[in-house]
Amino acid sequence: MNLLERYLQAVGQYLAPGSREDVLAELRVNLQAEMDARAEEKGGPLAESEVAAILKAHGRPMLVAARYMPQQYLIGPEVFPFYVLTLRRTAPLVVVLYFVAHLASFIFSPNPGAFAASLAKSFVQLVPVLLISWTAITLTFAMIEYVHKQHGQGACLTEWDPAKLSSLAHPPKQKSPASRIADLVVHCLWMLYVFAIPRHPYLILGPGALFLTTLSAGFAPVWRPFYIAIIVLLLAQLAIKVVALARGKHRWEAPLELLTKILGVVPTALLALTKVYFVPTRPAANLHTLAQINDWMNAGFRIVLVIVVLNLVWESWQYFRRVVPTERLAF
Amino acid sequence: MFESLRLELRRGCLIVAVLAQLRHEHYGYTLRKALADEGLAIEESTLYPLLRRLETQGLLKSEWREEDKRNKRFYRLSGEGELLLEQLLVEWNGINESLNKILKQPR
């Protein structure tokens, strides 16, 4: 019986003090009755291993004690769907707000190394920010659960009005062949325009081209790889559009478009990480003004990069929400 | 999959069975044995806390009494428990009839 007393002692450690003695007394009687019945079947006293087998079957002390405690949960089944929905809705919002708040540190980084370091640091710091937001939401919903449990079950959470349902969403229209042809023509015209820019800088700079001439300044070497990257991207997009026109809507069209958008970040990042866009072409050039122009352009490209990255994150999120089943996504 | 569905199915039935069996007085061990003899085995660690919960809900009443030189806690159905058991049995019979009708439908 020593083993039984040790078992009861172990169970008692996890029971509420108010009911401990009563529960243990009842448990002792029931377990003893069980052991007596087994001993009677056997025709003699039980060995310690047989007592141990009965106790083992009865359950681990901590779990047995837990079953005597009132059921406890932080967020109950009625509030839980609202909690999950809030987590799903707020996570992207927190990410966007976080990066907008860090915009200044990206834009005013002194050099490309510091910019990259600032970007990496921001991603690392995003983890605790997300954890804090989840904790805050969890605590808020735990409080809502408490209030919900204390005052009136269900009324406010289950109450709803069918008249307030949003109107039926129309599936996205498939592009007609005419629309695809128009799209292709516009893309070709756009490519012609881009091809013409190196010989006719005023096409992109407008009156600024004249200003560059008076400033005795020309394009810096960074524009060459940028230009090549743009041409490659435009050619890739042209190929996708031509194939789409020939074969109609295909399931690979959307992921390929997304991929080209991801690759499109590369030239923008190239410009954002560079500091010199225009260089003097004559010794008499106004270096101070040129330096100012370069600084402002750098700040502008960094803003563009952040916007492009955020837009890409949003579009990727929208794409994966469409194609990946909800239960396989984190939110 | 089967195991979790089986447990879910049993959970509600067990409460009805315990309430029905406690129309006659029992203490924990004999109740478990009586249910097992009728083909409804319940783990001790499930049954004993369930008895306390049902008592807290007012469906059972209990008293400590000496039997065979041992103090035992005997449970039996309370007035409220009897009323609830009747309602549950009506519900149970309704479900049973509907299920039988559904199962009799040609595939």
Side-chain angles (χ1 to χ4, degrees):
Chain A
M1 287 299 144
N2 183 30
L3 201 55
L4 173 61
E5 292 307 320
R6 280 166 54 201
Y7 181 75
L8 293 173
Q9 179 182 272
V11 174
Q13 283 174 358
Y14 303 104
L15 289 171
S19 60
R20 186 181 294 144
E21 291 310 315
D22 196 47
V23 170
L24 291 181
E26 189 179 6
L27 208 51
R28 181 182 288 108
V29 171
N30 288 330
L31 285 169
Q32 274 175 345
E34 168 89 27
M35 288 170 191
D36 290 350
R38 294 277 180 93
E40 204 176 304
E41 276 174 32
K42 188 187 168 191
L46 297 180
E48 188 154 308
S49 60
E50 290 166 316
V51 174
I54 291 172
L55 296 178
K56 192 172 165 62
H58 190 262
R60 194 179 175 144
M62 190 179 75
L63 298 178
V64 169
R67 291 186 180 183
Y68 282 95
M69 308 295 276
Q71 282 187 324
Q72 288 175 318
Y73 42 76
L74 199 61
I75 297 167
E78 273 190 59
V79 178
F80 192 74
F82 297 94
Y83 168 65
V84 173
L85 186 73
T86 309
L87 282 182
R88 287 177 61 173
R89 292 278 164 89
T90 51
L93 200 68
V94 169
V95 173
V96 169
L97 286 176
Y98 174 82
F99 279 109
V100 168
H102 278 66
L103 209 59
S105 70
F106 300 144
I107 294 165
F108 298 109
S109 307
N111 53 54
F115 176 74
S118 167
L119 201 64
K121 196 176 158 193
S122 296
F123 272 104
V124 172
Q125 285 176 345
L126 179 61
V127 177
V129 168
L130 280 174
L131 286 176
I132 289 168
S133 78
W134 289 337
T135 309
I137 292 168
T138 306
L139 288 176
T140 308
F141 272 87
M143 277 161 57
I144 291 172
E145 172 66 35
Y146 177 77
V147 174
H148 176 61
K149 218 166 12 183
Q150 297 294 316
H151 313 284
Q153 292 274 331
C156 60
L157 293 175
T158 52
E159 203 56 42
W160 72 293
D161 183 3
K164 287 181 181 169
L165 288 170
S166 53
S167 54
L168 207 58
H170 296 288
K173 276 186 184 172
Q174 288 212 355
K175 279 184 184 172
S176 65
S179 149
R180 284 180 189 275
I181 291 171
D183 194 20
L184 187 65
V185 170
V186 170
H187 190 80
C188 289
L189 289 174
W190 173 244
M191 283 186 73
L192 285 176
Y193 171 78
V194 173
F195 279 129
I197 287 172
R199 289 190 182 186
H200 309 285
Y202 60 86
L203 285 174
I204 192 164
L205 295 173
L210 199 65
F211 179 64
L212 274 185
T213 314
T214 54
L215 210 62
S216 304
F219 289 104
V222 68
W223 291 103
R224 194 174 170 78
F226 171 77
Y227 186 72
I228 292 169
I230 291 288
I231 294 295
V232 169
L233 269 175
L234 286 174
L235 286 172
Q237 283 176 335
L238 180 68
I240 293 171
K241 285 177 196 296
V242 169
V243 176
L245 183 64
R247 300 179 62 177
K249 176 86 180 164
H250 253 266
R251 58 191 167 88
W252 47 261
E253 198 178 346
L256 270 182
E257 272 179 16
L258 184 66
L259 184 69
T260 53
K261 281 178 185 169
I262 291 169
L263 292 175
V265 177
V266 176
T268 316
L270 190 74
L271 288 181
L273 295 173
T274 309
K275 297 222 76 171
V276 182
Y277 305 95
F278 298 108
V279 289
T281 50
R282 286 186 206 157
N286 186 340
L287 295 179
H288 179 68
T289 309
L290 207 54
Q292 276 186 327
I293 291 172
N294 279 330
D295 282 349
W296 281 111
M297 283 193 70
N298 184 249
F301 281 126
R302 288 183 183 205
I303 293 171
V304 170
L305 178 63
V306 173
I307 293 169
V308 166
V309 169
L310 287 177
N311 182 49
L312 190 64
V313 169
W314 176 251
E315 285 193 14
S316 304
W317 166 251
Q318 293 289 323
Y319 172 74
F320 285 111
R321 270 185 69 173
R322 268 202 317 273
V323 297
V324 181
T326 316
E327 62 269 22
R328 284 176 60 189
L329 287 174
F331 291 100
Chain B
M1 178 73 168
F2 167 72
E3 193 52 30
S4 68
L5 288 176
R6 189 182 74 93
L7 286 174
E8 210 171 309
L9 191 63
R10 266 174 62 97
R11 199 167 294 138
C13 303
L14 287 181
I15 293 176
V16 179
V18 167
L19 292 176
Q21 194 68 52
L22 284 174
R23 285 178 295 189
H24 307 287
E25 194 178 65
H26 281 285
Y27 77 97
Y29 175 73
T30 52
L31 172 64
R32 193 170 86 86
K33 208 164 170 301
L35 288 169
D37 290 344
E38 299 297 338
L40 208 61
I42 310 182
E43 284 181 18
E44 300 129 298
S45 56
T46 303
L47 178 63
Y48 302 153
L50 174 65
L51 291 174
R52 287 186 160 260
R53 204 159 54 243
L54 293 174
E55 190 192 13
T56 312
Q57 289 167 347
L59 304 178
L60 302 179
K61 52 187 179 185
S62 73
E63 62 167 335
W64 282 98
R65 210 171 55 235
E66 195 176 301
E67 187 194 73
D68 299 333
K69 295 178 186 172
R70 270 187 195 155
N71 251 338
K72 295 170 184 170
R73 185 176 199 150
F74 288 90
Y75 291 91
R76 69 173 304 135
L77 210 54
S78 66
E80 199 181 331
E82 274 179 39
L83 210 65
L84 194 95
L85 177 62
E86 271 176 41
Q87 291 172 329
L88 286 176
L89 287 175
V90 169
E91 187 69 24
W92 162 258
N93 288 326
I95 292 170
N96 214 15
E97 273 175 35
S98 304
L99 196 58
N100 280 332
K101 277 185 205 164
I102 293 166
L103 289 172
K104 277 178 191 164
Q105 282 172 9
R107 284 188 190 181

